[in-house]
Amino acid sequence: MTAYPQDPGAPDAPYLSFWRERHLCTLTTPRPDGSPHVVPVGVTYDPQARLARVIANKTSAKVGHVLAAGPEGARVAVCQVAGRRWATLEGRAFVRTEPERIAEAVRRYAERYERTPAPNPSRVVIEIHLTRAMGRG
């Protein structure tokens, strides 16, 4: 089996470039019964901080799944694909409610997706502390 590992803190240039392009992604979170819950999301990748970020409504299922995992965080994956190029980031997810963390996530989202999301007082950010990266940029 061919593997395409990347260092999540120091990916190669094509991989990082792919994460800077505008692509719809998926987030996979574990449901309480262990089955995967996969939803489309916008994701930003910060290799220097070894973080991926997803902005979300605090009442969404994905946020509920991360919170249900408890203080150790939920094991999750985000993925994007375009033709033969693909990229997956894995790690532990935590829900953050601090205004400065949300603002940073919104800023990065606006930069990548070229639009600023509408204000949302129920917004939180899912921060994924990256442990693994793979793919072909």
Side-chain angles (χ1 to χ4, degrees):
M1 180 165 93
T2 304
Y4 298 98
Q6 293 282 335
D7 177 343
D12 66 31
Y15 189 83
L16 184 56
S17 178
F18 185 42
W19 274 105
R20 289 184 173 147
E21 296 171 10
R22 187 179 190 274
H23 293 287
L24 186 61
C25 304
T26 59
L27 169 67
T28 303
T29 57
R31 291 185 180 105
D33 68 3
S35 64
H37 177 257
V38 184
V39 294
V41 293
V43 175
T44 62
Y45 175 31
D46 180 356
Q48 291 177 325
R50 294 180 72 100
L51 283 178
R53 295 174 178 92
V54 176
I55 56 176
N57 193 303
K58 68 182 177 183
T59 61
S60 67
K62 59 187 160 281
V63 168
H65 296 153
V66 172
L67 291 172
E72 292 184 15
R75 292 183 62 196
V76 304
V78 290
C79 184
Q80 65 182 21
V81 64
R84 295 177 60 125
R85 298 181 305 155
W86 61 275
T88 299
L89 299 168
E90 298 178 19
R92 293 267 176 194
F94 301 88
V95 175
R96 304 294 189 204
T97 59
E98 299 91 339
E100 65 278 3
R101 288 181 185 257
I102 295 168
E104 178 64 8
V106 168
R107 183 190 71 75
R108 289 175 178 273
Y109 179 97
E111 183 178 283
R112 181 175 189 200
Y113 291 98
E114 300 173 347
R115 74 170 195 83
T116 301
N120 178 355
S122 296
R123 180 172 288 131
V124 296
V125 60
I126 298 172
E127 289 185 348
I128 304 164
H129 295 252
L130 301 173
T131 57
R132 183 180 294 165
M134 62 188 125
R136 296 178 60 179

